[in-house]
Amino acid sequence: MISKKLMSRFRTLTVNSHVSTKSIQGLLLFFQILGLFLIMARDFANFDKTKLYFMIALIGFVYISGKLVQKFTRGDYYIMLIANMLFSIGILEIYRLNNKLAYRQIIWFCIGIVAFWVIYLILKYIRIWSKMYYFYAGISYLLFVATFLLGSRINGAKNWIRLGKNFAFQPSELIKIAFVFLIAAYYKNREKFEKDIFKKYSLHFFFYTFLGFLFLQKDLGTVLVFSGVFIFAQYMYEPHRKYIFVNLLILSFGAVLGYVLFKHVKVRVKIWLDPFKYADGMGYQIIQGFYAIASGGFFGKGLGLGRPDYIPFAESDYIFASICEEMGILMGMGVVMLFLILTYRGIKTSMEQHNKFYKYVAFCLSLIFAFQSLIMFGGILKLIPLTGITIPFVSYGGSSILSSFIALGILQYASEENI
């Protein structure tokens, strides 16, 4: 009798969950069609096959990606729906700003979905990842060295590798994922490592050498992400509490040192303190971002009716301000809420996971999504000095889309109950 009641309850929950997922997909489809209609209606006289193909590609790829996850995985398929919502909001604004960039972003979305499934299947059928501690450190060092040898300096930071005229890759996006696996492998084997003095402090050594490389690249936005993930992981899983306070002191000293050594850091702090003083020069971007958010109001001016093109890097660094101008502060709040839900579901996965390695992986990946979005929201709203990183799934950028979907594939696998 009890088992029958439990099965009945399970079927009810499953049906309700299915209806809820179907409703979310329907809402997402409605949003995509409405957004594309608003953009196309403004320039309907120039409507051509290319725009039609873009509409079909956006709606089709996003819908299929959500259905595939729901059909072939047993984990939390809501995280893919959240990612698709964020991507749809971002791609509509990018298309409105520069349709050529939007076409490229669609291609990167498809590559990202392929990477999602490749990573998911690799994790599902190969179970050696908690034992490859030094491999994660080695691959990270290799990518850092490649960046120094082949990298190009863009906006003060040397963190891009150019391959030809039209393709650039940011190795630090992949290093973030390797760093998460490094932390997870260390804490999975912590009791064993504690017996060896070199292994005991090896994670600290790798962490600070990674930060050293990032400092030399002047990629201080990624330094913030790495530091936040490391400190919070220690807060959750490190039994020696004194390490947290020591690391906070060292990182505080490093922040002051970065301000003293790097001219572009001083510039960003000056802009943060008083952007209107430098309105005609280095403060122009942040002020235009303020004007964009303010002029959009609560409901926005409408897609294609604002002037986000006045903002430098409106499709990447400042896409949040562009969204707020044309879709309203209400949509901006929606983007923030989607990241809160994504982070919540990742941490929920971590709490429910019995496999310690994937428990740590899910927690740290959730922190990466949280910190990247939080740092960019804070920078655009002038809560903290602005740094040049991307908002996952939303900002334009192939490296960002690819690494975000790789992280999502890992999180998807971690959410399955039986691993």
Side-chain angles (χ1 to χ4, degrees):
M1 180 65 71
I2 295 174
S3 62
K4 287 182 179 179
K5 287 182 178 179
L6 287 173
M7 288 301 295
S8 176
R9 178 64 175 162
F10 175 76
R11 290 192 192 98
T12 303
L13 287 171
T14 304
V15 171
N16 289 341
S17 177
H18 177 71
V19 172
S20 178
T21 306
K22 197 173 181 180
S23 301
I24 294 171
Q25 288 177 328
L27 183 63
L28 177 58
L29 179 64
F30 173 74
F31 171 76
Q32 290 172 334
I33 293 172
L34 179 61
L36 288 166
F37 173 77
L38 291 172
I39 295 172
M40 304 299 179
R42 189 167 178 265
D43 193 24
F44 190 76
N46 296 320
F47 189 85
D48 55 21
K49 290 183 179 180
T50 306
K51 294 180 180 179
L52 178 63
Y53 295 153
F54 175 80
M55 293 173 65
I56 295 171
L58 173 60
I59 295 170
F61 291 149
V62 168
Y63 180 80
I64 291 170
S65 65
K67 278 294 184 183
L68 287 174
V69 169
Q70 189 176 347
K71 186 174 179 63
F72 294 107
T73 71
R74 293 177 291 104
D76 185 353
Y77 41 77
Y78 286 100
I79 60 175
M80 176 59 82
L81 287 175
I82 295 166
N84 283 342
M85 288 179 191
L86 290 167
F87 176 78
S88 298
I89 294 168
I91 194 68
L92 287 174
E93 190 60 40
I94 293 168
Y95 185 83
R96 175 263 180 275
L97 289 163
N98 188 324
N99 55 16
K100 291 182 180 179
L101 294 182
Y103 300 146
R104 291 182 191 174
Q105 191 81 335
I106 284 282
I107 293 171
W108 276 111
F109 175 80
C110 296
I111 295 171
I113 293 298
V114 172
F116 171 95
W117 283 106
V118 169
I119 291 296
Y120 174 83
L121 293 173
I122 288 174
L123 293 177
K124 189 170 185 177
Y125 294 107
I126 301 176
R127 307 278 181 104
I128 61 173
W129 306 108
S130 63
K131 302 174 183 178
M132 300 180 67
Y133 178 64
Y134 292 105
F135 171 77
Y136 305 131
I139 199 71
S140 299
Y141 285 133
L142 185 64
L143 289 170
F144 276 127
V145 171
T147 306
F148 274 109
L149 295 178
L150 307 173
S152 303
R153 193 171 298 280
I154 299 176
N155 298 324
K158 188 176 183 179
N159 56 356
W160 290 88
I161 295 177
R162 289 198 174 277
L163 300 174
K165 293 182 179 179
N166 299 320
F167 181 77
F169 175 67
Q170 195 171 6
S172 61
E173 292 288 343
L174 293 182
I175 296 172
K176 282 185 290 192
I177 298 173
F179 181 59
V180 164
F181 274 67
L182 186 74
I183 293 173
Y186 175 83
Y187 282 109
K188 173 67 167 62
N189 301 287
R190 185 187 60 80
E191 293 181 3
K192 191 189 301 181
F193 288 173
E194 289 265 331
K195 299 174 183 178
D196 187 316
I197 189 67
F198 294 106
K199 291 181 179 179
K200 182 179 180 179
Y201 295 105
S202 59
L203 182 61
H204 283 86
F205 173 79
F206 293 140
F207 170 64
Y208 283 109
T209 51
F210 288 0
L211 292 195
F213 278 115
L214 292 170
F215 260 92
L216 292 174
Q217 293 176 9
K218 299 183 180 180
D219 188 2
L220 302 186
T222 307
V223 168
L224 284 176
V225 176
F226 273 54
S227 301
V229 171
F230 184 69
I231 292 296
F232 272 79
Q234 283 202 317
Y235 176 78
M236 288 295 294
Y237 306 119
E238 179 57 61
H240 305 293
R241 312 308 287 177
K242 62 182 179 181
Y243 292 167
I244 301 173
F245 298 104
V246 172
N247 288 322
L248 283 172
L249 287 173
I250 295 172
L251 292 172
S252 299
F253 174 76
V256 175
L257 188 64
Y259 175 80
V260 172
L261 293 179
F262 301 134
K263 184 178 179 181
H264 77 286
V265 175
K266 291 181 181 178
V267 168
R268 290 185 178 183
V269 172
K270 286 181 181 178
I271 297 169
W272 172 58
L273 293 173
D274 189 3
F276 290 93
K277 185 178 179 180
Y278 310 97
D280 295 332
M282 54 192 181
Y284 179 80
Q285 184 186 41
I286 194 168
I287 290 174
Q288 289 300 322
F290 288 159
Y291 289 155
I293 294 171
S295 63
F298 201 68
F299 297 105
K301 289 188 170 182
L303 276 169
L305 300 178
R307 294 309 305 262
D309 50 303
Y310 285 167
I311 312 170
F313 304 104
E315 72 286 345
S316 53
D317 292 1
Y318 259 74
I319 194 166
F320 183 71
S322 304
I323 290 168
C324 288
E325 179 176 5
E326 297 204 326
M327 303 186 204
I329 294 173
L330 183 64
M331 182 61 77
M333 292 166 62
V335 171
V336 174
M337 287 299 298
L338 285 171
F339 275 107
L340 285 173
I341 297 169
L342 180 60
T343 304
Y344 157 74
R345 298 202 74 89
I347 293 175
K348 179 174 178 285
T349 293
S350 174
M351 294 174 67
E352 294 176 348
Q353 180 56 255
H354 298 294
N355 184 311
K356 286 186 177 181
F357 179 73
Y358 285 104
K359 176 188 286 288
Y360 306 146
V361 165
F363 181 73
C364 292
L365 285 177
S366 303
L367 290 179
I368 283 183
F369 288 133
F371 277 114
Q372 277 198 231
S373 55
L374 186 63
I375 288 168
M376 286 309 296
F377 296 151
I380 292 169
L381 297 174
K382 200 180 162 293
L383 299 175
I384 60 173
L386 184 68
T387 59
I389 59 176
T390 57
I391 302 175
F393 305 110
V394 181
S395 299
Y396 171 76
S399 300
S400 176
I401 286 288
L402 180 61
S403 66
S404 296
F405 275 104
I406 289 173
L408 201 72
I410 298 166
L411 199 58
Q412 183 69 45
Y413 178 70
S415 69
E416 297 195 350
E417 296 177 4
N418 66 334
I419 58 177

